[in-house]
Amino acid sequence: MDSEQLKVFLAVVQQGSFGRVAEERYVTQRAVSRQISRLENEIGVKLFTRTTNSIRLTAAGKYFAGRAQEYLNNFDSTISELQNISNSDECTLYLSYFSIFDAYIMEKEIINYKRKKLLPEIRFITVEESVEHILADLVLNKLDCAYINHYGSYNIPQASLYKFLPVYSNEMVLGISKENSLSKKKYIDEKDLEGRTLFYYSNENSDFMRKTFTATLHKSETKYEIKRVSSIEQLMTSTALNQGIAYIPKGLIDHIMQPDSEIVYRRFHSQKQNQNYSMQMIYLKNNHSQALKSFVNSVREFQV
């Protein structure tokens, strides 16, 4: 499947006719029909129902039409960005972040670099990834640096390869619905959490993040129901509805979301470790990019 096949498919969707598309492209109607048939064979799904005098999109065809247009838009945007990079004298820095909390820190530091008009001038390209993908992409030199939250027990493979630069620190707290009886307490201990549902955020399935959060608990993980939530909005809504208790980074939550009047925040007293967390920039020690060096120096001097 290539972009030309998708363009022919979308043209047929728009025109509702193989014949009209054939006329526009100065080819035979049979050639257009063959393009569509080849596309259907490649993906193993019928996109059109054909009769003697008409064609009609199948349910799968309607869904595919929306996704095909989205794919082509993204593809064109990517090509345009690549051409801009190729034609530019700017240095390029590839950054990643794990969550919206890390993204907030990263955003402030990028804006600070640009506003100070530091050299070299840098084109920043950012992407959201799980911690596992971040570590892999750093080693493969797909990324120059990334932002992750150091909390709980981090067992980073080959940690000696990296440099870690703390950029923000605070305390992890528990978000609790006002409907939950625990909201009346001044602080929460592990006994309070036994038998409760505990939420943690991760945009992808991540053993790394699950182990990070469960490492804060003194007793066996089986005493708790631990669930991953894939978006911050879902995390806050589920917490407000008293469907579970959430791990929340104190300080940063106030910058990215409006306060939820149905949620209170309580300190968590763990027997195993304190609840401090640290947002960190991570990068390979052997990355000698001038852009990275300049950006790191800027970050060291900047306070969020």
Side-chain angles (χ1 to χ4, degrees):
M1 181 176 64
D2 56 37
S3 60
E4 183 60 27
Q5 286 176 290
L6 295 181
K7 289 176 182 178
V8 170
F9 166 68
L10 290 172
V12 173
V13 172
Q14 185 176 15
Q15 296 291 343
S17 165
F18 291 158
R20 284 195 287 272
V21 173
E23 290 176 6
E24 287 181 350
R25 291 174 171 264
Y26 302 102
V27 296
T28 65
Q29 181 172 329
R30 185 176 178 80
V32 173
S33 180
R34 282 179 175 175
Q35 281 266 58
I36 298 300
S37 294
R38 194 170 76 216
L39 176 60
E40 290 176 321
N41 289 335
E42 286 185 19
I43 63 178
V45 172
K46 282 292 181 185
L47 301 173
F48 292 100
T49 299
R50 299 163 174 82
T51 62
T52 303
N53 299 314
S54 67
I55 58 172
R56 180 170 57 85
L57 279 171
T58 63
K62 291 179 182 179
Y63 174 79
F64 186 68
R67 299 308 295 264
Q69 187 63 64
E70 180 182 340
Y71 170 84
L72 286 177
N73 290 344
N74 289 335
F75 181 78
D76 290 342
S77 175
T78 300
I79 295 300
S80 177
E81 184 68 19
L82 287 173
Q83 291 171 343
N84 288 337
I85 293 171
S86 177
N87 295 329
S88 172
D89 291 330
E90 297 176 347
C91 295
T92 302
L93 202 63
Y94 294 88
L95 306 88
S96 185
Y97 57 94
F98 165 67
S99 73
I100 192 171
F101 302 112
D102 313 285
Y104 172 80
I105 303 293
M106 180 187 69
E107 171 194 309
K108 295 299 181 185
E109 293 178 341
I110 290 175
I111 290 173
N112 174 66
Y113 187 93
K114 290 183 173 182
R115 284 179 177 168
K116 290 168 69 175
K117 300 187 183 302
L118 297 173
L119 295 177
E121 188 174 354
I122 298 175
R123 176 186 295 275
F124 294 92
I125 298 178
T126 65
V127 63
E128 181 181 16
E129 294 182 311
S130 69
V131 175
E132 289 92 335
H133 284 160
I134 284 174
L135 297 175
D137 285 349
L138 284 169
V139 171
L140 293 172
N141 293 313
K142 293 181 178 180
L143 291 174
D144 290 297
C145 63
Y147 287 76
I148 60 175
N149 178 2
H150 185 190
Y151 167 70
S153 177
Y154 265 44
N155 183 22
I156 294 181
Q158 298 180 296
S160 61
L161 297 177
Y162 307 100
K163 285 191 176 180
F164 300 87
L165 175 61
V167 294
Y168 180 87
S169 61
N170 210 314
E171 180 183 14
M172 197 70 74
V173 293
L174 297 177
I176 304 173
S177 168
K178 286 185 176 179
E179 299 298 314
N180 192 316
S181 59
L182 292 181
S183 66
K184 307 299 189 297
K185 300 191 67 174
K186 290 185 177 180
Y187 66 87
I188 308 300
D189 59 33
E190 289 184 51
K191 188 172 181 59
D192 294 322
L193 297 181
E194 289 184 22
R196 305 274 184 171
T197 297
L198 306 180
F199 293 136
Y200 72 96
Y201 164 78
S202 178
N203 61 331
E204 299 179 30
N205 280 322
S206 172
D207 288 338
F208 186 91
M209 291 309 301
R210 183 183 179 90
K211 289 177 181 177
T212 293
F213 282 92
T214 57
T216 67
L217 302 170
H218 182 65
K219 296 187 177 179
S220 169
E221 182 181 337
T222 58
K223 290 187 174 289
Y224 318 91
E225 184 177 3
I226 300 173
K227 289 186 177 181
R228 179 182 73 90
V229 180
S230 59
S231 74
I232 298 300
E233 292 80 8
Q234 182 188 356
L235 180 74
M236 302 305 288
T237 298
S238 298
T239 300
L241 294 175
N242 198 23
Q243 295 170 356
I245 295 171
Y247 286 87
I248 301 291
K250 183 180 177 182
L252 292 179
I253 189 68
D254 301 324
H255 291 290
I256 64 171
M257 298 194 74
Q258 291 293 327
D260 191 318
S261 61
E262 297 302 320
I263 298 176
V264 298
Y265 299 110
R266 296 291 181 260
R267 299 185 72 181
F268 175 35
H269 288 192
S270 167
Q271 297 179 49
K272 203 163 187 181
Q273 65 178 66
N274 67 50
Q275 293 303 298
N276 294 335
Y277 72 88
S278 172
M279 293 297 180
Q280 298 186 340
M281 177 196 285
I282 177 175
Y283 55 95
L284 286 177
K285 292 178 179 178
N286 64 359
N287 187 332
H288 302 300
S289 160
Q290 183 57 44
L292 176 61
K293 180 179 179 180
S294 183
F295 185 57
V296 167
N297 288 338
S298 172
V299 170
R300 290 184 191 278
E301 299 172 358
F302 181 67
Q303 295 293 322
V304 176

